[in-house]
Amino acid sequence: MKRIIILSVGTATPHVIKALSEAFDINQDLLFKILYNAPAVFLDNAEEELAKKAFLILTELGLEVLVQNTDETAPLPTEALDVSVYIKDPVKLSTVNKQLSEFLGCNESESLQLLLNEPSVVLGGVSMATAESLQKRIDAEVIASNPKLDLYTIEFTANAEADRQKLINLIRSQEIAIPGGETRWVRNLTYEQLNQFLTRYRSQHEMKIYNQSYSRFRILLEDFNPESAAQTDFLVNEIGMPQEALAEIHANLPLLLDESVNHGELEQKLALYKQVGLRCSDEQIPFGKYSLAVSNITDSEKFREILDKFFKDVTYDQSSGTWKTPLPLASILSRLLEKQLEILGCEIEYEY
């Protein structure tokens, strides 16, 4: 007797569920759980002829499949993960949206809403195999998170420092380490610590919650030794700075070293930069919608053409010198607009 195991969703889409349901008389909801929580047992104690038939059908549909004897050990259930997508190159938004809609089996307007609502959690309660399959099929960064095992950050957004400090002290009373003088951010809270705090205080105060697996950071180069061959070689060969520009770069620090990295990358990169001898700092990038302030607008006609793709009835007074977005945009749209305007030579500042 044979056991058929689905190892991953592979190149298949949710549309295969209906075909499998009809072919093997299996409930569609159950099939969805099997496919997106793979590896999972599809058929057990199957006759060899049925096993061969199932293997052929499943592989033709794009699934990764394993056939084993029933006396072999079946795979254990995998942990349930939430999966987020981050688009590093905003120009690829439409491409990634099409890829995501195909993977999820939904229309592109639905997948676009998921992408615009950063941190863009697109799947919940699925396996690592599903996250890995998505990564192979999408031109974006895929991040898998176990929400009950990950750490969290709270950003207090009240304008008054005294109000923020009061909440910081409440968390500090739970024996949670917080750097002295910090009045806005509390990091590295466990799922239990976060929920304990939110149960009592969330409804009363302004705050934002970040799963640290999804958090994004900038890394700034604060200082380096231009006389150190190890440091200058690293900046030239690993970072890509021109050798002849190092003196000017050193005179104009700080400099943006990494535009956006996730929390795991942040720790790895900071450790590497420190090992080389570079002095760096990091800034957390808030999630949400942003406004842009645009200056150095030299081609007003092309400037308007670009803005018309993002806003209706754009007004621009050339004499003002600076233009601000009439409405905040989702992060990915802000970055897309920024990239197009920078090609025109415009200078951009973010207003969070």
Side-chain angles (χ1 to χ4, degrees), residues 30-260:
L30 176 59
L31 278 171
F32 185 90
K33 291 179 181 178
I34 290 174
L35 264 60
Y36 289 89
N37 288 277
V41 176
F42 177 70
L43 291 176
D44 209 356
N45 293 309
E47 297 286 347
E48 190 158 342
E49 194 62 33
L50 175 59
K52 288 180 180 179
K53 175 187 174 183
F55 180 82
L56 288 173
I57 292 174
L58 294 172
T59 52
E60 285 176 2
L61 290 172
L63 297 161
E64 294 184 15
V65 185
L66 170 69
V67 178
Q68 64 177 194
N69 295 323
T70 53
D71 58 359
E72 297 180 69
T73 303
L76 295 173
T78 59
E79 61 177 339
L81 304 173
D82 292 343
V83 177
S84 169
V85 169
Y86 179 78
I87 304 174
K88 288 192 173 183
D89 183 355
V91 174
K92 293 183 177 180
L93 174 59
S94 60
T95 298
V96 171
N97 185 43
K98 186 175 188 301
Q99 293 167 336
L100 181 62
S101 71
E102 291 173 352
F103 187 88
L104 297 179
C106 65
N107 62 53
E108 291 187 27
S109 62
E110 292 172 322
S111 56
L112 180 61
Q113 287 307 306
L114 292 173
L115 292 172
L116 295 181
N117 188 28
E118 291 186 316
S120 305
V121 178
V122 298
L123 284 167
V126 299
S127 67
M128 180 59 75
T130 297
E132 291 170 349
S133 293
L134 176 59
Q135 183 65 84
K136 293 175 183 177
R137 293 163 57 178
I138 196 168
D139 294 326
E141 179 184 341
V142 174
I143 305 163
S145 160
N146 184 327
K148 292 188 177 181
L149 297 181
D150 277 340
L151 298 176
Y152 293 82
T153 291
I154 299 179
E155 178 190 7
F156 296 112
T157 57
N159 291 326
E161 183 175 341
D163 292 340
R164 300 196 304 270
Q165 185 64 62
K166 181 179 178 181
L167 292 172
I168 292 282
N169 290 336
L170 288 171
I171 293 183
R172 187 177 279 119
S173 68
Q174 300 179 32
E175 299 184 356
I176 295 171
I178 302 171
E182 180 61 76
T183 63
R184 185 169 294 276
W185 301 91
V186 177
R187 295 178 170 86
N188 300 321
L189 292 171
T190 66
Y191 182 80
E192 292 76 15
Q193 289 170 330
L194 176 69
N195 283 337
Q196 182 180 353
F197 177 77
L198 295 183
T199 299
R200 298 179 61 186
Y201 301 110
R202 184 174 191 176
S203 62
Q204 304 174 30
H205 303 279
E206 296 177 81
M207 65 184 73
K208 293 180 180 178
I209 311 298
Y210 301 88
N211 178 322
Q212 290 181 183
S213 290
Y214 304 144
S215 297
R216 310 298 304 185
F217 299 85
R218 299 183 187 90
I219 300 179
L220 301 174
L221 176 60
E222 299 286 352
D223 199 10
F224 68 93
N225 181 1
E227 303 300 321
S228 167
Q231 293 182 32
T232 55
D233 287 349
F234 182 86
L235 292 173
V236 171
N237 298 320
E238 300 300 327
I239 304 299
M241 293 183 180
Q243 180 77 47
E244 63 276 10
L246 289 180
E248 183 178 354
I249 290 171
H250 187 261
N252 291 278
L253 294 174
L255 175 75
L256 183 63
L257 207 55
D258 292 279
E259 184 177 352
S260 179

Side-chain angles (χ1 to χ4, degrees), residues 287-306:
F287 289 124
K289 295 184 177 182
Y290 310 146
S291 295
L292 301 181
V294 186
S295 58
N296 194 37
I297 303 166
T298 57
D299 190 331
S300 58
E301 183 176 344
K302 289 185 178 179
F303 177 69
R304 287 178 183 275
E305 287 178 8
I306 292 173

